[in-house]
Amino acid sequence: MENVLLEKQGHVSIITINREKALNALSTAVLNDLEEAVNTVEADKDTYCVVITGAGNKSFVAGADIAEMKDKTVEEAAEYGAYGNKIFRQIETLHCPVIAAVNGFALGGGCELSMACDIRIAAENAVFGQPEVGLGITPGFGGTQRLARLVPAGIAKEMIFTARNIKADKALAIGLVNAVVPQEELMATALKMANGICKNAPIAVAQSKKAINAGLQTDMDSAIAIEVKDFSDCFATEDQTYGMECFVNKVKEKEFKN
Ligand code: HXC
């Protein structure tokens, strides 16, 4: 893959959008490679956490490729939107947590890619925004839906209607990102969090992600039923036996197997 790099460090897979000359804009070629990387990670149950970032130190992803998009017909635009959304939803529902390490511009499709991740860590130079209405379109890779679920609806509407970008400190203040760190500490911070997640029982982490995602889409009674099922299913795992044995036997250094 030319436009997306995929590497593995221990149980952490790192996906890097690698089109620095266009600020990592999502052309179809980039989306094709991202899809391949996500498919690879999805099939790799030895991956317990994923970090997604952009190449260089200026941009995470500056959006969908405007030059490529500008002449699309209604049908082609629908196909393109559905394709990006399919990949982003696949990221959102991966078996393990996904951390976005946002190293600069996260605009349009870039902000949307970061929002398809479970956790966002931003460098101090990160800039978030949904500038689409300034281009005559709506957000198209999930922005109208995920932004309003992540931050108060009024803030999401303000960002989308005004098309104004926000800096990292504002993104932190509205809850769009989990943390803001100096650019040079970004990957180390994301990897430290990823490795911390990897130390916990992978099936329990996966079940927690599944329960949170499914619960967010339904009413509270159904959501609680989902939790009861995902919680109790853990009692069929070696990790549950081992994790609780470690507690009662006062074993501090645990190493989960699954
Ligand atoms: C295509 C892009 C691009 C993009 C940057 N580039 N963003 N190409 N699509 N989204 C290219 C530029 O054309 C330029 O190429 C090179 O990257 C460097 O960009 P500059 O503009 O020269 O850099 P700078 O002046 O620092 O400005 C950075 C920027 C600006 C503020 C991020 O590039 C910008 O506004 N980009 C567009 C952001 C945007 O509107 N994103 C939303 C897209 S719509 P050359 O060849 O000239 O060097 C979207 C919809 C998603 O994402 C849903 C679709 C279904």
Side-chain angles (χ1 to χ4, degrees):
M1 287 182 289
E2 186 189 331
N3 298 296
V4 170
L5 309 175
L6 176 60
E7 58 183 303
K8 199 156 168 205
Q9 290 183 15
H11 291 294
V12 181
S13 286
I14 303 168
I15 293 174
T16 305
I17 311 296
N18 186 38
R19 194 186 171 215
E20 200 177 338
K21 65 178 183 336
L23 304 184
N24 303 318
L26 299 172
S27 61
T28 302
V30 175
L31 287 176
N32 289 341
D33 285 358
L34 180 60
E35 182 183 37
E36 188 178 331
V38 172
N39 284 339
T40 304
V41 170
E42 191 177 58
D44 175 16
K45 299 303 181 230
D46 183 59
T47 290
Y48 295 170
C49 196
V50 179
V51 175
I52 300 184
T53 194
N57 57 14
K58 185 172 170 185
S59 182
F60 175 70
V61 166
D65 190 305
I66 301 168
E68 185 189 290
M69 198 169 34
K70 73 181 190 27
D71 295 322
K72 286 196 188 301
T73 63
V74 169
E75 291 73 23
E76 287 165 349
E79 199 179 315
Y80 182 61
Y83 182 46
N85 267 305
K86 181 228 140 213
I87 301 167
F88 287 14
R89 184 73 178 135
Q90 204 180 343
I91 291 169
E92 189 169 46
T93 56
L94 265 181
H95 62 277
C96 62
V98 183
I99 300 171
V102 182
N103 55 320
F105 294 113
L107 302 178
C111 187
E112 291 167 315
L113 175 60
S114 79
M115 292 191 293
C117 300
D118 298 294
I119 291 166
R120 283 152 294 285
I121 301 176
E124 284 166 347
N125 70 331
V127 174
F128 294 82
Q130 297 289 164
E132 286 91 343
V133 296
L135 295 165
I137 58 172
T138 71
F141 287 158
T144 57
Q145 304 310 308
R146 291 196 180 92
L147 188 57
R149 282 166 167 81
L150 277 170
V151 305
I155 304 280
K157 287 176 177 173
E158 180 186 338
M159 280 179 68
I160 290 171
F161 299 162
T162 64
R164 275 208 304 267
N165 298 338
I166 59 169
K167 293 186 176 161
D169 54 348
K170 177 81 189 274
L172 182 65
I174 64 173
L176 182 56
V177 301
N178 297 60
V180 179
V181 299
Q183 165 100 314
E184 60 276 14
E185 291 170 24
L186 179 66
M187 277 313 279
T189 306
L191 288 169
K192 188 172 175 204
M193 184 184 285
N195 284 310
I197 290 170
C198 291
K199 287 208 172 89
N200 292 315
I203 296 173
V205 172
Q207 295 280 93
S208 300
K209 171 168 171 168
K210 192 156 72 72
I212 294 167
N213 281 355
L216 283 172
Q217 295 191 103
T218 189
D219 63 281
M220 185 56 90
D221 291 324
S222 310
I224 293 296
I226 289 166
E227 186 185 84
V228 168
K229 168 90 174 80
D230 286 331
F231 159 75
S232 54
D233 280 352
C234 291
F235 284 74
T237 66
E238 287 175 20
D239 284 350
Q240 177 270 329
T241 311
Y242 172 72
M244 293 193 178
E245 288 283 341
C246 283
F247 176 79
V248 295
N249 294 323
K250 303 196 187 306
V251 175
K252 291 277 179 269
E253 290 298 315
K254 293 192 289 267
E255 200 179 330
F256 288 100
K257 295 275 182 296
N258 295 296

